[in-house]
């Protein structure tokens, strides 16, 4: 099921946010909280491992919060820049006490919402359904794309794929490099296994065709 990730350097604040989410989230959904990760490059693995389908981020992550053991060299808007190059449609919401920071406001077009923390706390019943809908739509879209890729891959393996099918498979593979799936392995691993299986099927197809040609010879 979809999970909503919360990245905030202040543990008490993000735990309060998780509690606010839990009162509004559908059954079996969960909010997963974490300190800012040491490096931006660690986020794809974390998103994959926790099956994140929407992300809530604080803006000022580089400050050393009294109740945090984490101190990083980037802010929320830097994380948005990093993620948007890799996740074009993952829903990202900024919930912060510094919603008027100029660098953050310049990323307004790149996120689903910039929400003042006090406003969210007062009106969680209004904002959580928005976050949930965005998360659900992303989750469902990814599942449809994985299903479509499986179908196209089968055509390719059996030699029935058209050029349009192959182009579509390539486009889906590029898009699905984003490591998100409800499968027991992350998407990049899943795609790698699929490619290996397709190669094996291709070799088997060639062997069968070669065998049939030999049988036809007098």
């Amino acid at each position: 099921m979809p999970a909503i990730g919360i990245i905030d350097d202040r543990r008490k604040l993000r735990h309060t946010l998780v509690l606010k989410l839990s009162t509004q989230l559908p059954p079996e959904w969960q909010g997963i909280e974490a300190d800012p990760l040491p490096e931006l490059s660690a986020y794809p693995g974390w998103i994959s491992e926790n099956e994140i389908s929407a992300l809530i981020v604080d803006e000022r992550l580089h400050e050393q919060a009294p109740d945090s053991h984490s101190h990083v060299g980037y802010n929320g808007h830097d994380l948005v820049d990093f993620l948007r190059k890799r996740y074009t449609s993952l829903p990202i919401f900024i919930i912060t006490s510094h919603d008027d920071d100029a660098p953050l406001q310049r990323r307004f077009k790149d996120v689903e919402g910039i929400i003042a923390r006090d406003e969210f706390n007062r009106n969680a019943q209004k904002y959580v359904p928005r976050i949930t809908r965005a998360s659900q739509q992303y989750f469902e879209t990814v599942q449809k794309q994985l299903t479509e890729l499986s179908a196209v891959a089968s055509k390719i393996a059996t030699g029935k794929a058209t050029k349009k099918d192959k182009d579509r498979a390539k486009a889906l593979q590029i898009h699905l490099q984003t490591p998100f799936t409800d499968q027991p392995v992350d998407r990049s691993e899943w795609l790698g296994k699929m490619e290996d299986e397709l190669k094996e099927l291709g070799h088997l197809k060639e062997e069968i065709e070669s065998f049939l040609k030999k049988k036809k010879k007098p």
Side-chain angles (χ1 to χ4, degrees):
M1 290 299 294
I4 297 173
I6 299 100
I7 300 294
D8 197 321
D9 59 334
R10 297 176 184 267
R11 295 185 177 186
K12 290 181 180 178
L13 290 180
R14 73 171 186 256
H15 186 61
T16 298
L17 185 55
V18 170
L19 292 176
K20 291 279 186 183
L21 287 170
S22 65
T23 63
Q24 302 290 325
L25 286 175
E28 298 183 9
W29 285 43
Q30 59 179 329
I32 298 176
E33 57 177 298
D35 283 324
L37 303 183
E39 302 293 338
L40 291 173
S41 58
Y43 280 93
W46 182 82
I47 289 171
S48 173
E49 179 182 351
N50 293 285
E51 299 179 0
I52 301 300
S53 59
L55 192 62
I56 297 174
V57 181
D58 184 28
E59 165 57 5
R60 295 193 179 178
L61 299 175
H62 75 287
E63 298 176 341
Q64 181 65 56
D67 60 343
S68 173
H69 298 150
S70 173
H71 181 61
V72 295
Y74 60 86
N75 273 319
H77 66 267
D78 298 311
L79 178 55
V80 169
D81 291 345
F82 175 83
L83 292 177
R84 273 293 169 254
K85 293 176 182 177
R86 294 154 181 82
Y87 301 82
T88 57
S89 55
L90 174 69
I92 302 175
F93 295 83
I94 306 293
I95 297 180
T96 177
S97 300
H98 305 281
D99 55 300
D100 57 350
D101 280 7
L104 176 59
Q105 285 296 322
R106 287 197 291 271
R107 274 72 176 184
F108 186 83
K109 68 183 187 307
D110 298 319
V111 296
E112 277 59 44
I114 299 174
I115 307 166
R117 192 179 299 275
D118 289 344
E119 166 67 12
F120 179 87
N121 289 336
R122 285 194 302 267
N123 297 289
Q125 74 281 0
K126 176 175 73 174
Y127 290 107
V128 174
R130 278 180 53 193
I131 295 170
T132 301
R133 284 194 300 272
S135 176
Q136 182 68 43
Q137 289 170 1
Y138 179 76
F139 180 85
E140 291 176 353
T141 296
V142 167
Q143 297 313 301
K144 288 178 181 177
Q145 290 173 339
L146 286 169
T147 300
E148 183 183 357
L149 180 57
S150 293
V152 176
S154 295
K155 284 186 177 181
I156 294 172
T158 56
K160 298 178 180 178
T162 64
K163 183 180 182 302
K164 184 177 179 181
D165 289 329
K166 293 176 182 178
D167 289 343
R168 179 58 178 163
K170 185 176 180 180
L172 285 168
Q173 282 187 301
I174 291 171
H175 183 76
L176 291 170
Q177 287 301 318
T178 303
F180 168 82
T181 176
D182 65 346
Q183 302 296 323
V185 294
D186 69 36
R187 183 177 307 162
S188 58
E189 183 180 348
W190 183 87
L191 288 172
K193 288 185 176 181
M194 174 173 281
E195 288 180 351
D196 290 341
E197 290 175 0
L198 287 176
K199 287 178 182 178
E200 289 180 9
L201 286 171
H203 293 322
L204 179 60
K205 178 174 176 286
E206 290 175 1
E207 289 177 6
I208 292 172
E209 289 175 347
S210 176
F211 175 76
L212 290 175
K213 287 179 181 177
K214 289 179 181 178
K215 286 197 69 175
K216 288 180 181 180
K217 291 181 179 180

